[in-house]
Structure formats: C-alpha cells, structure tokens
Amino acid sequence: MGFGLRVLDLARRDRAEAELRRVGADPAGVAKMRDKAATVALKAHGLRSPGANILKQEMLSLGGEVAVARGVVTGAAEPSDVVILGTRKQLLALARKLRPQPFGLRALGQEIEAALAPRIHELSWAGGVLRLSERPHVMGILNVTPDSFSDGGTFLDPQAALDRAVAMVEEGADLIDVGGESTRPGSRGVSVEEELARVIPVVEALAPRLGVPLSVDTAKAAVAERAVGAGAAIVNDVSGLTADPGMAGTVAAAGCALVVMHLRGTPQTMQADTTYGDLLAEVWAGLAASVERAEAAGVPRERVVVDPGIGFGKNPQGSLALLGRLGEFATLGCPLLIGASRKSFIGATVGGEGPQDRLEGSLAAAVVALGQGAQLFRVHDVRATRRALDLAWAALRAGGG
C-alpha cells in the first residue's frame, strides 16, 4: 500500500496551518513551521551592484537564494534586477537583516515586509464600504452608449438602463458600472456634453433605487464630478489618471473611491503596438504610478483599486499572461479588479462567432482571476459569473480546513 505520499499545496498560510494541525503538531510548533511551508519568489528592479552582492550573501546565509545579473560580482552589471527565493520565514529574516544596510537595502527590506504582510481588503468612500476580502464582488456592466463592443445601443433609453440595472442586482451584482463612452479598440471619444447627457440621467435614476454602489466609467473629471454629485460612489478611470489632469483632484475632493486601469496610449491607438519588453513589470510600474498620482492628490490608498487592463493595449497572449499571473500585483497593496468579460482574447483562444459567444471563456477567466487574488469582477453576464465565483470561492476557502 505504501505511505500515501502526496505533494501538498501549502502556499497559503491557512492551508499550511491546517495540515500541520491535522498531523497533531504542537501549537507552538505550528506557529514556527507554517512560514516554512512554501517557497516564495520576489523580484526587485534596479539594485546597484554592491547592494545586489550584499543581498545575495545575506540570503545565502539564511539558506535561501538570490539570482542576480552575471556581472554583478565584478560591478560590470549596473544596475541589476534580482529574484529572491526563500520561505516566508527566510524572507522575513532577510528583511530584518537589511535594516542597517546601505545602497537602498533598508527600503527593500521594508518592501519585502509589506509584500508578505496579510491583507484584508476593503474599499471605502464617503458614506460606504465594500468588504472585499469576505467574498468575490461582481460589478455589472451598464453601457449607455451606441457603440460599445458587446452591448452598444441596447440601454440608451434611461428606462431600459434602469430595468437592466435592477435585473443585474437581482442576479447578484454587488455594484453597477455605468459608462457613457465606448473604449473598445479604435473607438472615438465623445464630448463632455454628450457623455454627461448619456450618464447623468441614468445615475440620477439608479442611485436612489438600487441599494448597491454605482461606479461611473469615465476618464473625464467633469463627468466624474457630476456623476458623484448625482449619487455615484466610485470613479472607474480606464486611463489610470493620465487622460485628464484634473481627475485625481476631483476624486479626492469628492471623497469617492477610484479604479485606475493600465492603458498604454488611448483606445484609438492602444492596439497599434502591443509589444512589451517585460509585460508584467511594465504594467505593474504603470499601475504603481497611477496609485502614487492618486495619493499625491489626496486620495487615500484604501480608496484605490487597480485594474491591469486585460485587452487594453495587449495582444491575446499578453492578456492571457496577465490573467495567469495576477497575483504579482498584490504588492501594490490595493484590491484588484479584472475586466475580462467577452473580450476578444477569449475568442482568439477558444473560438466563437463574437462577443455574445464568449460566456464560457469569460467564466473561466473570472475563476482563474479569483484563484490569483482578484476581488472585483467587471462582467456582462452577472448571474452566471456570480454562481461560478461562489462555487470557486467555496472550494478555495474549504482548502484552508
């Protein structure tokens, strides 16, 4: 019969703790061993050669490893990116050892500690909060546009928009995202006046009736200000605060929450060049810059959500790479929103006639994103996504014992 040996997936601390308790380990031993259960890989950019050498030696002394550029030891590689490999216990010990070190290593140690710290995500705004760590939250898409890629023209009438929003809440939507300007590839922008005329009547009709928060999908500060005044709680800026220099200040003054998305270029130009030197690093850096821009204007980090912009300035392979490695954005310290619903990369991967034929791929993308740590899901198909996510969430939680 053998010993029934199997490989355990103990990357999560709660799973590690549960398995250690199942074998009857002493509680004091459980507390010591749970951080030794899984190897963690961290990547940092731009270390000077002396700092990279010190980092490598310190981690080697703890039984871990650091990969550096080949010429670091002689100073020929300047600067160097590094990959740090070790258990949580080793990495936390490394962070402590870096505190007195020069060459920026103290700051790196602080970043390591922040990256490994447990997070309970909440999204707050003046008058409300979403407790995102308690369960996955579904954001229903309500496009009041004639030209959106999936449902353009369907909900232009305010009554039709209201009926659709009510239906999505009944299907399980936790919030509704109202958009008055298409951002599909190649789309042309509309004037502030046109966007206001589309969005504000809908927000005014929905806000007192829905019982869930409203988000406004806009890159224009004037539209955001009016929408929040009409009852919206969240501004969803696909430009990551780059399109309108007044947006960050407007959000700060309004006291609302903010979603910043990664977008290279504009919807008109974004698919002209989808080549990246290091996709994950460049998207991470772009989102970090957006978060810093928000904080500099007075928007607290606990009011900011990040969205890597799947399908925006990325080719199908890039969108798949982002989806499969979403967990790497956790070190930004913000909740993660994913908008993969009915996107073209799904059709390019699994086939289908058009956006309406991408339900299965959209559900698969949502479940993969949940497993990678996403908390918010911007979708067209609310009922199906709600049910898929609830099952996946239950399975992931049960894995902790």
Side-chain angles (χ1 to χ4, degrees):
M1 292 289 292
F3 293 97
L5 182 70
R6 71 185 195 274
V7 177
L8 297 179
D9 177 7
L10 301 184
R12 278 181 20 209
R13 295 178 79 210
D14 61 336
R15 288 183 181 174
E17 184 168 335
E19 289 295 341
L20 294 170
R21 291 188 183 281
R22 285 191 182 104
V23 300
D26 182 87
V30 170
K32 292 179 180 178
M33 289 185 284
R34 64 188 177 192
D35 284 339
K36 299 179 180 179
T39 297
V40 179
L42 300 176
K43 185 173 184 179
H45 300 270
L47 273 74
R48 293 175 55 196
S49 291
N53 279 316
I54 293 171
L55 178 69
K56 186 174 181 70
Q57 294 306 313
E58 294 287 16
M59 193 55 175
L60 286 171
S61 73
L62 294 167
E65 184 58 273
V66 177
V68 300
R70 191 171 185 177
V72 157
V73 69
T74 63
E78 188 73 36
S80 174
D81 296 345
V82 300
V83 175
I84 310 168
L85 304 169
T87 64
R88 285 177 54 88
K89 182 179 178 66
Q90 291 168 335
L91 290 165
L92 290 170
L94 174 67
R96 292 191 294 270
K97 294 187 74 172
L98 295 181
R99 289 172 186 168
Q101 297 289 359
F103 308 113
L105 293 178
R106 176 183 176 86
L108 177 60
Q110 293 171 338
E111 290 188 29
I112 291 172
E113 290 176 327
L116 298 178
R119 289 187 177 87
I120 298 178
H121 283 301
E122 294 185 345
L123 179 63
S124 63
W125 60 91
V129 62
L130 288 176
R131 293 179 172 82
L132 300 178
S133 292
E134 293 182 355
R135 59 181 177 83
H137 283 63
V138 174
M139 173 187 277
I141 298 170
L142 184 61
N143 288 319
V144 288
T145 60
D147 56 345
S148 290
F149 81 97
S150 179
D151 53 3
T154 306
F155 306 113
L156 280 173
D157 178 70
Q159 185 59 50
L162 175 60
D163 292 344
R164 177 56 184 153
V166 170
M168 286 193 288
V169 173
E170 291 174 350
E171 291 173 2
D174 299 288
L175 59 166
I176 301 296
D177 190 44
V178 181
E181 180 179 51
S182 174
T183 52
R184 62 181 174 79
S187 61
R188 295 186 176 277
V190 300
S191 67
V192 171
E193 292 74 20
E194 178 64 24
E195 193 173 344
L196 286 169
R198 295 174 180 178
V199 168
I200 301 307
V202 174
V203 174
E204 289 175 339
L206 296 181
R209 298 187 57 178
L210 281 192
V212 301
L214 287 180
S215 167
V216 58
D217 179 0
T218 184
K220 298 181 178 70
V223 176
E225 183 176 24
R226 286 280 302 278
V228 173
I234 303 164
V235 172
N236 180 9
D237 184 352
V238 300
S239 80
L241 301 178
T242 62
D244 188 332
M247 181 65 91
T250 296
V251 170
C256 57
L258 173 68
V259 179
V260 290
M261 193 189 80
H262 177 270
L263 172 62
R264 191 174 66 179
T266 68
Q268 294 77 30
T269 65
M270 63 186 181
Q271 297 305 115
D273 180 9
T274 57
T275 302
Y276 294 80
D278 185 337
L279 173 67
L280 272 293
E282 291 177 45
V283 174
W284 192 99
L287 290 173
S290 293
V291 174
E292 291 174 5
R293 196 174 294 117
E295 288 189 304
V299 183
R301 186 174 286 251
E302 58 267 23
R303 293 187 177 178
V304 181
V305 175
V306 296
D307 176 354
I310 288 175
F312 283 82
K314 291 89 178 176
N315 60 28
Q317 190 58 39
S319 291
L320 289 170
L322 286 174
L323 187 63
R325 296 177 65 177
L326 291 174
E328 297 182 21
F329 295 103
T331 52
L332 290 166
C334 298
L336 181 62
L337 181 148
I338 294 303
S341 178
R342 301 186 184 178
K343 292 284 179 69
S344 62
F345 83 96
I346 296 173
T349 304
V350 299
E353 295 295 326
Q356 304 293 337
D357 196 29
R358 297 171 185 165
L359 173 60
E360 299 90 345
S362 298
L363 297 179
V367 170
V368 169
L370 177 66
Q372 289 285 317
Q375 293 97 7
L376 280 161
F377 303 83
R378 186 177 182 273
V379 304
H380 299 86
D381 304 290
V382 172
R383 184 188 301 278
T385 307
R386 174 83 276 160
R387 291 167 65 84
L389 289 174
D390 285 349
L391 188 283
W393 179 254
L396 290 169
R397 294 305 93 189

